[in-house]
Amino acid sequence: MQAYAAIIESQGGKFVLDNVDIEEPRDNEVLVKIAAAGMCHTDLTVRDQYYPTPLPVVLGHEGSGVIEKVGRGVTTVKPGDKVVLSFSYCGTCPSCRKGHQAYCPSLFPLNFMGRRLDGSTPIRRNGEEMNACFFGQSSFATYSIATENNCVKVADDAQIELLGPLGCGIQTGAGTVLNALQPAPGSSIAIFGVGSVGLSAVMAAKASGCLKIIAVDRNPTRLNLARELGATDIIDAISTNAQETIIALTGGGADYAIDTTAIPQVLRSAVDSTHTMGETAVVGGASLGTEFSLDMNNILFGRKLRGVVEGSSTPQVFIPQLIAMREAGLFPFERLCTFYDFDQINQAVEDTEVSGNAIKAILKM
């Protein structure tokens, strides 16, 4: 069948909209009519080739829509089901079987290599193979071939156009707090970078009962929104030494810190802003080979640093929890979202990474 897709043809280029042909779903695959897809920082880092996903490619990995067809052996969803599409994982390795799907050893080839594991692709343009299968879905298109593991079934009356960003960015920020760090009520936490991931972490920290939630950024509009969403303190990193301020605000250092920026100097500042026994999570995706340094003695005195992928979540469990939290008024992630028509995709990119007018752009098909 034919679909309309946004294609990145060259490194750093704009999205090009064109018709493509999509295969029928194979075993364990589904065909989804995409209602909307969130734009994530990872889409843009792949456009810029921070990760070696081959070009040209159809990106998009925060899709949501309705199942149209299912392949043989698919049992958890059926045609007509509304679904959020999240990341891809094998489902059979020891990590997946233990509920740690975000740390599946096949995560990189399944999500970033632009092909199925057998080297095939479900998309062609003008008869030529097109790289796809991005996060198992490539949802910057009106239709998507995804795997059953990608799918998170939601209620029939769900506002499906809103829910796609739960599949990656919002899940990552919230899950870093709720699943990975699990701060006790009364804890202090410093969040470096308050884009969609950081603001999701702010809301999750508030829901967790953190007593002091410190947001650090260079964008005053986003800092003000962080305060509205639960931050008790905001720090403008342009005019203020964040590390010194956090230590002063917390009486010696935060219990937890999160770095969403993928900037080595910022990560160092996040670690150094925690007290002894403090824990820092790094969630930002830097280009391959990026290194950073730490004072070994600072780490020696009980501090912890951990990486977190996709909020350490099992999407089929965690995404429904986030939806329930929103319905209870505890996680108003809709305040991060700005909607665009699909053919406005390049405007959405500019508003996201240039002007900063959009925190979480959602493309409506």
Side-chain angles (χ1 to χ4, degrees), residues 15 37-47 59-63 134-135 140 164-165 167-172 196-197 283 310 348-349 352-353 359-363:
F15 287 92
M39 179 172 290
C40 180
H41 181 65
T42 305
D43 294 304
L44 304 181
T45 58
V46 169
R47 173 205 62 186
L59 299 175
H61 64 287
E62 293 182 345
F134 187 59
F135 278 64
F140 283 167
C168 186
I170 290 174
Q171 169 177 251
T172 295
S196 62
V197 173
V283 303
E310 293 290 351
V349 171
T352 298
E353 68 174 359
I359 295 172
K360 174 56 69 176
I362 299 179
L363 304 167

PDB file of all heavy atoms in Angstrom, residues 15 37-47 59-63 134-135 140 164-165 167-172 196-197 283 310 348-349 352-353 359-363:
ATOM      1  N   PHE A  15      13.495  17.672   6.157  1.00  0.00           N
ATOM      2  CA  PHE A  15      12.620  16.556   5.829  1.00  0.00           C
ATOM      3  C   PHE A  15      11.976  16.813   4.462  1.00  0.00           C
ATOM      4  O   PHE A  15      11.512  17.912   4.170  1.00  0.00           O
ATOM      5  CB  PHE A  15      11.536  16.387   6.890  1.00  0.00           C
ATOM      6  CG  PHE A  15      12.033  15.810   8.183  1.00  0.00           C
ATOM      7  CD1 PHE A  15      12.453  16.634   9.221  1.00  0.00           C
ATOM      8  CD2 PHE A  15      12.096  14.436   8.360  1.00  0.00           C
ATOM      9  CE1 PHE A  15      12.908  16.100  10.416  1.00  0.00           C
ATOM     10  CE2 PHE A  15      12.557  13.893   9.555  1.00  0.00           C
ATOM     11  CZ  PHE A  15      12.966  14.722  10.579  1.00  0.00           C
ATOM     12  N   ALA A  37       2.499  11.860  15.547  1.00  0.00           N
ATOM     13  CA  ALA A  37       3.821  11.398  15.981  1.00  0.00           C
ATOM     14  C   ALA A  37       4.564  12.557  16.620  1.00  0.00           C
ATOM     15  O   ALA A  37       4.640  13.649  16.037  1.00  0.00           O
ATOM     16  CB  ALA A  37       4.626  10.835  14.816  1.00  0.00           C
ATOM     17  N   GLY A  38       5.103  12.345  17.801  1.00  0.00           N
ATOM     18  CA  GLY A  38       5.910  13.352  18.457  1.00  0.00           C
ATOM     19  C   GLY A  38       7.282  13.458  17.809  1.00  0.00           C
ATOM     20  O   GLY A  38       7.797  12.493  17.228  1.00  0.00           O
ATOM     21  N   MET A  39       7.848  14.646  17.890  1.00  0.00           N
ATOM     22  CA  MET A  39       9.225  14.847  17.434  1.00  0.00           C
ATOM     23  C   MET A  39      10.142  14.839  18.648  1.00  0.00           C
ATOM     24  O   MET A  39       9.913  15.576  19.609  1.00  0.00           O
ATOM     25  CB  MET A  39       9.363  16.165  16.677  1.00  0.00           C
ATOM     26  CG  MET A  39      10.773  16.446  16.205  1.00  0.00           C
ATOM     27  SD  MET A  39      10.848  17.882  15.139  1.00  0.00           S
ATOM     28  CE  MET A  39      10.009  17.235  13.691  1.00  0.00           C
ATOM     29  N   CYS A  40      11.150  13.991  18.602  1.00  0.00           N
ATOM     30  CA  CYS A  40      12.067  13.819  19.725  1.00  0.00           C
ATOM     31  C   CYS A  40      13.455  14.299  19.320  1.00  0.00           C
ATOM     32  O   CYS A  40      13.818  14.294  18.140  1.00  0.00           O
ATOM     33  CB  CYS A  40      12.103  12.349  20.131  1.00  0.00           C
ATOM     34  SG  CYS A  40      13.186  11.943  21.518  1.00  0.00           S
ATOM     35  N   HIS A  41      14.240  14.690  20.308  1.00  0.00           N
ATOM     36  CA  HIS A  41      15.620  15.114  20.048  1.00  0.00           C
ATOM     37  C   HIS A  41      16.401  14.033  19.316  1.00  0.00           C
ATOM     38  O   HIS A  41      17.278  14.330  18.495  1.00  0.00           O
ATOM     39  CB  HIS A  41      16.297  15.462  21.377  1.00  0.00           C
ATOM     40  CG  HIS A  41      17.706  15.942  21.235  1.00  0.00           C
ATOM     41  ND1 HIS A  41      18.046  17.118  20.597  1.00  0.00           N
ATOM     42  CD2 HIS A  41      18.885  15.387  21.641  1.00  0.00           C
ATOM     43  CE1 HIS A  41      19.351  17.277  20.620  1.00  0.00           C
ATOM     44  NE2 HIS A  41      19.884  16.243  21.239  1.00  0.00           N
ATOM     45  N   THR A  42      16.059  12.767  19.566  1.00  0.00           N
ATOM     46  CA  THR A  42      16.781  11.678  18.924  1.00  0.00           C
ATOM     47  C   THR A  42      16.569  11.677  17.411  1.00  0.00           C
ATOM     48  O   THR A  42      17.479  11.321  16.649  1.00  0.00           O
ATOM     49  CB  THR A  42      16.366  10.329  19.529  1.00  0.00           C
ATOM     50  OG1 THR A  42      16.566  10.378  20.948  1.00  0.00           O
ATOM     51  CG2 THR A  42      17.181   9.188  18.963  1.00  0.00           C
ATOM     52  N   ASP A  43      15.381  12.066  16.946  1.00  0.00           N
ATOM     53  CA  ASP A  43      15.169  12.187  15.504  1.00  0.00           C
ATOM     54  C   ASP A  43      16.168  13.168  14.902  1.00  0.00           C
ATOM     55  O   ASP A  43      16.717  12.937  13.812  1.00  0.00           O
ATOM     56  CB  ASP A  43      13.741  12.680  15.212  1.00  0.00           C
ATOM     57  CG  ASP A  43      12.681  11.684  15.619  1.00  0.00           C
ATOM     58  OD1 ASP A  43      12.744  10.536  15.157  1.00  0.00           O
ATOM     59  OD2 ASP A  43      11.790  12.058  16.400  1.00  0.00           O
ATOM     60  N   LEU A  44      16.404  14.250  15.613  1.00  0.00           N
ATOM     61  CA  LEU A  44      17.282  15.296  15.084  1.00  0.00           C
ATOM     62  C   LEU A  44      18.752  14.908  15.196  1.00  0.00           C
ATOM     63  O   LEU A  44      19.560  15.274  14.337  1.00  0.00           O
ATOM     64  CB  LEU A  44      17.000  16.610  15.803  1.00  0.00           C
ATOM     65  CG  LEU A  44      15.528  17.065  15.731  1.00  0.00           C
ATOM     66  CD1 LEU A  44      15.336  18.389  16.454  1.00  0.00           C
ATOM     67  CD2 LEU A  44      15.050  17.149  14.298  1.00  0.00           C
ATOM     68  N   THR A  45      19.115  14.169  16.231  1.00  0.00           N
ATOM     69  CA  THR A  45      20.506  13.716  16.322  1.00  0.00           C
ATOM     70  C   THR A  45      20.823  12.685  15.251  1.00  0.00           C
ATOM     71  O   THR A  45      21.947  12.638  14.740  1.00  0.00           O
ATOM     72  CB  THR A  45      20.825  13.144  17.715  1.00  0.00           C
ATOM     73  OG1 THR A  45      19.947  12.052  17.996  1.00  0.00           O
ATOM     74  CG2 THR A  45      20.685  14.192  18.795  1.00  0.00           C
ATOM     75  N   VAL A  46      19.840  11.876  14.877  1.00  0.00           N
ATOM     76  CA  VAL A  46      20.061  10.935  13.775  1.00  0.00           C
ATOM     77  C   VAL A  46      20.125  11.683  12.451  1.00  0.00           C
ATOM     78  O   VAL A  46      20.951  11.375  11.586  1.00  0.00           O
ATOM     79  CB  VAL A  46      18.970   9.854  13.760  1.00  0.00           C
ATOM     80  CG1 VAL A  46      19.019   9.040  12.473  1.00  0.00           C
ATOM     81  CG2 VAL A  46      19.138   8.942  14.963  1.00  0.00           C
ATOM     82  N   ARG A  47      19.267  12.695  12.263  1.00  0.00           N
ATOM     83  CA  ARG A  47      19.374  13.551  11.077  1.00  0.00           C
ATOM     84  C   ARG A  47      20.797  14.088  10.929  1.00  0.00           C
ATOM     85  O   ARG A  47      21.355  14.151   9.835  1.00  0.00           O
ATOM     86  CB  ARG A  47      18.382  14.712  11.200  1.00  0.00           C
ATOM     87  CG  ARG A  47      18.507  15.783  10.121  1.00  0.00           C
ATOM     88  CD  ARG A  47      17.979  17.119  10.598  1.00  0.00           C
ATOM     89  NE  ARG A  47      18.730  17.635  11.734  1.00  0.00           N
ATOM     90  CZ  ARG A  47      18.411  18.716  12.415  1.00  0.00           C
ATOM     91  NH1 ARG A  47      17.333  19.413  12.086  1.00  0.00           N
ATOM     92  NH2 ARG A  47      19.151  19.109  13.444  1.00  0.00           N
ATOM     93  N   LEU A  59      12.275   8.607   9.627  1.00  0.00           N
ATOM     94  CA  LEU A  59      12.436   8.614  11.084  1.00  0.00           C
ATOM     95  C   LEU A  59      11.059   8.627  11.760  1.00  0.00           C
ATOM     96  O   LEU A  59      10.071   8.257  11.172  1.00  0.00           O
ATOM     97  CB  LEU A  59      13.285   9.814  11.499  1.00  0.00           C
ATOM     98  CG  LEU A  59      14.707   9.833  10.925  1.00  0.00           C
ATOM     99  CD1 LEU A  59      15.419  11.129  11.295  1.00  0.00           C
ATOM    100  CD2 LEU A  59      15.499   8.624  11.416  1.00  0.00           C
ATOM    101  N   GLY A  60      11.031   9.053  13.009  1.00  0.00           N
ATOM    102  CA  GLY A  60       9.788   9.077  13.779  1.00  0.00           C
ATOM    103  C   GLY A  60       9.704   7.883  14.701  1.00  0.00           C
ATOM    104  O   GLY A  60       9.755   6.723  14.256  1.00  0.00           O
ATOM    105  N   HIS A  61       9.608   8.156  16.007  1.00  0.00           N
ATOM    106  CA  HIS A  61       9.563   7.028  16.961  1.00  0.00           C
ATOM    107  C   HIS A  61       8.686   7.325  18.167  1.00  0.00           C
ATOM    108  O   HIS A  61       8.836   6.702  19.219  1.00  0.00           O
ATOM    109  CB  HIS A  61      10.978   6.654  17.396  1.00  0.00           C
ATOM    110  CG  HIS A  61      11.704   7.720  18.156  1.00  0.00           C
ATOM    111  ND1 HIS A  61      12.200   8.851  17.555  1.00  0.00           N
ATOM    112  CD2 HIS A  61      12.005   7.841  19.476  1.00  0.00           C
ATOM    113  CE1 HIS A  61      12.792   9.608  18.455  1.00  0.00           C
ATOM    114  NE2 HIS A  61      12.682   9.016  19.633  1.00  0.00           N
ATOM    115  N   GLU A  62       7.755   8.273  18.018  1.00  0.00           N
ATOM    116  CA  GLU A  62       6.764   8.529  19.066  1.00  0.00           C
ATOM    117  C   GLU A  62       5.375   8.520  18.421  1.00  0.00           C
ATOM    118  O   GLU A  62       4.583   9.419  18.567  1.00  0.00           O
ATOM    119  CB  GLU A  62       7.028   9.881  19.745  1.00  0.00           C
ATOM    120  CG  GLU A  62       8.314   9.926  20.540  1.00  0.00           C
ATOM    121  CD  GLU A  62       8.524  11.258  21.251  1.00  0.00           C
ATOM    122  OE1 GLU A  62       7.829  12.256  20.921  1.00  0.00           O
ATOM    123  OE2 GLU A  62       9.382  11.314  22.148  1.00  0.00           O
ATOM    124  N   GLY A  63       5.119   7.449  17.680  1.00  0.00           N
ATOM    125  CA  GLY A  63       3.873   7.363  16.933  1.00  0.00           C
ATOM    126  C   GLY A  63       2.705   6.889  17.778  1.00  0.00           C
ATOM    127  O   GLY A  63       2.870   6.206  18.789  1.00  0.00           O
ATOM    128  N   PHE A 134      12.923   2.564  12.084  1.00  0.00           N
ATOM    129  CA  PHE A 134      13.525   3.380  13.131  1.00  0.00           C
ATOM    130  C   PHE A 134      12.739   3.194  14.418  1.00  0.00           C
ATOM    131  O   PHE A 134      11.539   3.414  14.464  1.00  0.00           O
ATOM    132  CB  PHE A 134      13.528   4.846  12.700  1.00  0.00           C
ATOM    133  CG  PHE A 134      14.281   5.762  13.622  1.00  0.00           C
ATOM    134  CD1 PHE A 134      15.627   5.562  13.876  1.00  0.00           C
ATOM    135  CD2 PHE A 134      13.653   6.839  14.229  1.00  0.00           C
ATOM    136  CE1 PHE A 134      16.330   6.402  14.718  1.00  0.00           C
ATOM    137  CE2 PHE A 134      14.342   7.686  15.074  1.00  0.00           C
ATOM    138  CZ  PHE A 134      15.684   7.465  15.322  1.00  0.00           C
ATOM    139  N   PHE A 135      13.412   2.749  15.463  1.00  0.00           N
ATOM    140  CA  PHE A 135      12.763   2.333  16.707  1.00  0.00           C
ATOM    141  C   PHE A 135      11.642   1.323  16.412  1.00  0.00           C
ATOM    142  O   PHE A 135      10.631   1.275  17.104  1.00  0.00           O
ATOM    143  CB  PHE A 135      12.208   3.536  17.459  1.00  0.00           C
ATOM    144  CG  PHE A 135      13.245   4.255  18.283  1.00  0.00           C
ATOM    145  CD1 PHE A 135      14.325   4.879  17.684  1.00  0.00           C
ATOM    146  CD2 PHE A 135      13.160   4.312  19.664  1.00  0.00           C
ATOM    147  CE1 PHE A 135      15.290   5.537  18.422  1.00  0.00           C
ATOM    148  CE2 PHE A 135      14.111   4.965  20.430  1.00  0.00           C
ATOM    149  CZ  PHE A 135      15.192   5.582  19.803  1.00  0.00           C
ATOM    150  N   PHE A 140       7.086   8.794  11.127  1.00  0.00           N
ATOM    151  CA  PHE A 140       6.875  10.033  10.384  1.00  0.00           C
ATOM    152  C   PHE A 140       6.287   9.673   9.025  1.00  0.00           C
ATOM    153  O   PHE A 140       6.868   9.900   7.965  1.00  0.00           O
ATOM    154  CB  PHE A 140       8.180  10.811  10.225  1.00  0.00           C
ATOM    155  CG  PHE A 140       8.619  11.558  11.462  1.00  0.00           C
ATOM    156  CD1 PHE A 140       9.899  12.086  11.544  1.00  0.00           C
ATOM    157  CD2 PHE A 140       7.765  11.752  12.541  1.00  0.00           C
ATOM    158  CE1 PHE A 140      10.323  12.775  12.671  1.00  0.00           C
ATOM    159  CE2 PHE A 140       8.178  12.429  13.680  1.00  0.00           C
ATOM    160  CZ  PHE A 140       9.455  12.944  13.746  1.00  0.00           C
ATOM    161  N   GLY A 164       1.396   9.935  21.637  1.00  0.00           N
ATOM    162  CA  GLY A 164       2.623   9.418  21.053  1.00  0.00           C
ATOM    163  C   GLY A 164       3.892   9.746  21.816  1.00  0.00           C
ATOM    164  O   GLY A 164       4.764   8.877  21.969  1.00  0.00           O
ATOM    165  N   PRO A 165       4.065  10.987  22.310  1.00  0.00           N
ATOM    166  CA  PRO A 165       5.309  11.322  23.024  1.00  0.00           C
ATOM    167  C   PRO A 165       5.565  10.490  24.276  1.00  0.00           C
ATOM    168  O   PRO A 165       6.693  10.473  24.783  1.00  0.00           O
ATOM    169  CB  PRO A 165       5.119  12.801  23.373  1.00  0.00           C
ATOM    170  CG  PRO A 165       4.227  13.318  22.292  1.00  0.00           C
ATOM    171  CD  PRO A 165       3.263  12.199  22.025  1.00  0.00           C
ATOM    172  N   GLY A 167       5.820   7.493  24.181  1.00  0.00           N
ATOM    173  CA  GLY A 167       6.607   6.366  23.719  1.00  0.00           C
ATOM    174  C   GLY A 167       8.096   6.519  23.878  1.00  0.00           C
ATOM    175  O   GLY A 167       8.828   5.535  23.866  1.00  0.00           O
ATOM    176  N   CYS A 168       8.577   7.779  24.023  1.00  0.00           N
ATOM    177  CA  CYS A 168      10.024   7.959  24.179  1.00  0.00           C
ATOM    178  C   CYS A 168      10.360   9.089  25.139  1.00  0.00           C
ATOM    179  O   CYS A 168      10.690   8.854  26.290  1.00  0.00           O
ATOM    180  CB  CYS A 168      10.703   8.178  22.832  1.00  0.00           C
ATOM    181  SG  CYS A 168      12.520   8.232  22.962  1.00  0.00           S
ATOM    182  N   GLY A 169      10.309  10.360  24.667  1.00  0.00           N
ATOM    183  CA  GLY A 169      10.856  11.462  25.452  1.00  0.00           C
ATOM    184  C   GLY A 169      10.218  11.629  26.814  1.00  0.00           C
ATOM    185  O   GLY A 169      10.911  11.763  27.833  1.00  0.00           O
ATOM    186  N   ILE A 170       8.897  11.638  26.847  1.00  0.00           N
ATOM    187  CA  ILE A 170       8.209  11.851  28.128  1.00  0.00           C
ATOM    188  C   ILE A 170       8.388  10.636  29.027  1.00  0.00           C
ATOM    189  O   ILE A 170       8.599  10.758  30.240  1.00  0.00           O
ATOM    190  CB  ILE A 170       6.735  12.196  27.869  1.00  0.00           C
ATOM    191  CG1 ILE A 170       6.658  13.601  27.249  1.00  0.00           C
ATOM    192  CG2 ILE A 170       5.915  12.118  29.147  1.00  0.00           C
ATOM    193  CD1 ILE A 170       5.281  14.023  26.801  1.00  0.00           C
ATOM    194  N   GLN A 171       8.335   9.450  28.435  1.00  0.00           N
ATOM    195  CA  GLN A 171       8.613   8.229  29.191  1.00  0.00           C
ATOM    196  C   GLN A 171      10.022   8.245  29.773  1.00  0.00           C
ATOM    197  O   GLN A 171      10.239   7.816  30.918  1.00  0.00           O
ATOM    198  CB  GLN A 171       8.452   7.033  28.246  1.00  0.00           C
ATOM    199  CG  GLN A 171       8.945   5.711  28.771  1.00  0.00           C
ATOM    200  CD  GLN A 171       8.677   4.582  27.797  1.00  0.00           C
ATOM    201  OE1 GLN A 171       7.828   3.759  28.059  1.00  0.00           O
ATOM    202  NE2 GLN A 171       9.386   4.535  26.667  1.00  0.00           N
ATOM    203  N   THR A 172      10.971   8.760  29.013  1.00  0.00           N
ATOM    204  CA  THR A 172      12.358   8.788  29.469  1.00  0.00           C
ATOM    205  C   THR A 172      12.514   9.667  30.702  1.00  0.00           C
ATOM    206  O   THR A 172      13.127   9.262  31.705  1.00  0.00           O
ATOM    207  CB  THR A 172      13.278   9.284  28.343  1.00  0.00           C
ATOM    208  OG1 THR A 172      13.262   8.336  27.278  1.00  0.00           O
ATOM    209  CG2 THR A 172      14.704   9.468  28.831  1.00  0.00           C
ATOM    210  N   SER A 196      11.578  18.632  26.956  1.00  0.00           N
ATOM    211  CA  SER A 196      10.480  17.708  27.250  1.00  0.00           C
ATOM    212  C   SER A 196      10.897  16.607  28.221  1.00  0.00           C
ATOM    213  O   SER A 196      10.116  16.214  29.098  1.00  0.00           O
ATOM    214  CB  SER A 196       9.954  17.094  25.955  1.00  0.00           C
ATOM    215  OG  SER A 196      10.943  16.330  25.296  1.00  0.00           O
ATOM    216  N   VAL A 197      12.131  16.115  28.109  1.00  0.00           N
ATOM    217  CA  VAL A 197      12.595  15.074  29.031  1.00  0.00           C
ATOM    218  C   VAL A 197      12.728  15.637  30.448  1.00  0.00           C
ATOM    219  O   VAL A 197      12.226  15.056  31.421  1.00  0.00           O
ATOM    220  CB  VAL A 197      13.930  14.483  28.547  1.00  0.00           C
ATOM    221  CG1 VAL A 197      14.506  13.513  29.577  1.00  0.00           C
ATOM    222  CG2 VAL A 197      13.744  13.776  27.212  1.00  0.00           C
ATOM    223  N   VAL A 283      20.876  10.775  30.948  1.00  0.00           N
ATOM    224  CA  VAL A 283      19.886  10.288  29.991  1.00  0.00           C
ATOM    225  C   VAL A 283      20.071  10.893  28.602  1.00  0.00           C
ATOM    226  O   VAL A 283      19.486  10.409  27.633  1.00  0.00           O
ATOM    227  CB  VAL A 283      18.447  10.548  30.482  1.00  0.00           C
ATOM    228  CG1 VAL A 283      18.219   9.916  31.838  1.00  0.00           C
ATOM    229  CG2 VAL A 283      18.132  12.032  30.526  1.00  0.00           C
ATOM    230  N   GLU A 310      15.404   5.092  28.054  1.00  0.00           N
ATOM    231  CA  GLU A 310      13.946   4.989  27.970  1.00  0.00           C
ATOM    232  C   GLU A 310      13.277   4.918  29.350  1.00  0.00           C
ATOM    233  O   GLU A 310      12.252   4.262  29.527  1.00  0.00           O
ATOM    234  CB  GLU A 310      13.544   3.777  27.134  1.00  0.00           C
ATOM    235  CG  GLU A 310      13.901   3.889  25.670  1.00  0.00           C
ATOM    236  CD  GLU A 310      13.082   4.915  24.896  1.00  0.00           C
ATOM    237  OE1 GLU A 310      12.107   5.433  25.470  1.00  0.00           O
ATOM    238  OE2 GLU A 310      13.413   5.187  23.733  1.00  0.00           O
ATOM    239  N   ALA A 348       8.164  22.645  12.541  1.00  0.00           N
ATOM    240  CA  ALA A 348       8.236  22.051  13.875  1.00  0.00           C
ATOM    241  C   ALA A 348       9.688  21.863  14.308  1.00  0.00           C
ATOM    242  O   ALA A 348      10.034  22.080  15.476  1.00  0.00           O
ATOM    243  CB  ALA A 348       7.502  20.716  13.888  1.00  0.00           C
ATOM    244  N   VAL A 349      10.557  21.472  13.364  1.00  0.00           N
ATOM    245  CA  VAL A 349      11.981  21.335  13.668  1.00  0.00           C
ATOM    246  C   VAL A 349      12.563  22.680  14.075  1.00  0.00           C
ATOM    247  O   VAL A 349      13.268  22.797  15.087  1.00  0.00           O
ATOM    248  CB  VAL A 349      12.746  20.770  12.453  1.00  0.00           C
ATOM    249  CG1 VAL A 349      14.255  20.841  12.695  1.00  0.00           C
ATOM    250  CG2 VAL A 349      12.328  19.344  12.175  1.00  0.00           C
ATOM    251  N   THR A 352      11.488  23.762  17.440  1.00  0.00           N
ATOM    252  CA  THR A 352      12.028  22.916  18.497  1.00  0.00           C
ATOM    253  C   THR A 352      13.481  23.254  18.800  1.00  0.00           C
ATOM    254  O   THR A 352      13.865  23.411  19.965  1.00  0.00           O
ATOM    255  CB  THR A 352      11.916  21.432  18.097  1.00  0.00           C
ATOM    256  OG1 THR A 352      10.538  21.088  17.938  1.00  0.00           O
ATOM    257  CG2 THR A 352      12.548  20.532  19.153  1.00  0.00           C
ATOM    258  N   GLU A 353      14.313  23.384  17.771  1.00  0.00           N
ATOM    259  CA  GLU A 353      15.749  23.500  18.030  1.00  0.00           C
ATOM    260  C   GLU A 353      16.340  24.872  17.759  1.00  0.00           C
ATOM    261  O   GLU A 353      17.483  25.120  18.136  1.00  0.00           O
ATOM    262  CB  GLU A 353      16.506  22.446  17.224  1.00  0.00           C
ATOM    263  CG  GLU A 353      16.488  22.642  15.729  1.00  0.00           C
ATOM    264  CD  GLU A 353      17.378  21.639  15.004  1.00  0.00           C
ATOM    265  OE1 GLU A 353      18.015  20.806  15.660  1.00  0.00           O
ATOM    266  OE2 GLU A 353      17.447  21.706  13.764  1.00  0.00           O
ATOM    267  N   ILE A 359       8.250  22.858  22.827  1.00  0.00           N
ATOM    268  CA  ILE A 359       8.964  21.937  23.718  1.00  0.00           C
ATOM    269  C   ILE A 359       8.795  20.503  23.208  1.00  0.00           C
ATOM    270  O   ILE A 359       9.751  19.771  23.040  1.00  0.00           O
ATOM    271  CB  ILE A 359       8.454  22.073  25.160  1.00  0.00           C
ATOM    272  CG1 ILE A 359       8.787  23.475  25.688  1.00  0.00           C
ATOM    273  CG2 ILE A 359       9.063  20.995  26.060  1.00  0.00           C
ATOM    274  CD1 ILE A 359       8.166  23.777  27.024  1.00  0.00           C
ATOM    275  N   LYS A 360       7.575  20.118  22.964  1.00  0.00           N
ATOM    276  CA  LYS A 360       7.284  18.810  22.373  1.00  0.00           C
ATOM    277  C   LYS A 360       6.347  19.028  21.194  1.00  0.00           C
ATOM    278  O   LYS A 360       5.142  19.224  21.363  1.00  0.00           O
ATOM    279  CB  LYS A 360       6.654  17.860  23.386  1.00  0.00           C
ATOM    280  CG  LYS A 360       6.190  16.531  22.800  1.00  0.00           C
ATOM    281  CD  LYS A 360       7.286  15.766  22.082  1.00  0.00           C
ATOM    282  CE  LYS A 360       8.345  15.249  23.013  1.00  0.00           C
ATOM    283  NZ  LYS A 360       9.362  14.420  22.302  1.00  0.00           N
ATOM    284  N   ALA A 361       6.905  19.008  20.007  1.00  0.00           N
ATOM    285  CA  ALA A 361       6.103  19.139  18.793  1.00  0.00           C
ATOM    286  C   ALA A 361       5.442  17.801  18.476  1.00  0.00           C
ATOM    287  O   ALA A 361       6.077  16.749  18.554  1.00  0.00           O
ATOM    288  CB  ALA A 361       6.976  19.594  17.621  1.00  0.00           C
ATOM    289  N   ILE A 362       4.158  17.867  18.122  1.00  0.00           N
ATOM    290  CA  ILE A 362       3.434  16.675  17.705  1.00  0.00           C
ATOM    291  C   ILE A 362       2.879  16.917  16.307  1.00  0.00           C
ATOM    292  O   ILE A 362       2.181  17.906  16.074  1.00  0.00           O
ATOM    293  CB  ILE A 362       2.290  16.329  18.674  1.00  0.00           C
ATOM    294  CG1 ILE A 362       2.835  16.055  20.079  1.00  0.00           C
ATOM    295  CG2 ILE A 362       1.514  15.115  18.171  1.00  0.00           C
ATOM    296  CD1 ILE A 362       1.763  15.739  21.105  1.00  0.00           C
ATOM    297  N   LEU A 363       3.203  16.022  15.395  1.00  0.00           N
ATOM    298  CA  LEU A 363       2.754  16.137  14.007  1.00  0.00           C
ATOM    299  C   LEU A 363       1.468  15.332  13.824  1.00  0.00           C
ATOM    300  O   LEU A 363       1.444  14.116  14.043  1.00  0.00           O
ATOM    301  CB  LEU A 363       3.841  15.596  13.073  1.00  0.00           C
ATOM    302  CG  LEU A 363       5.206  16.264  13.230  1.00  0.00           C
ATOM    303  CD1 LEU A 363       6.272  15.443  12.510  1.00  0.00           C
ATOM    304  CD2 LEU A 363       5.169  17.678  12.690  1.00  0.00           C
TER     305      LEU A 363
END
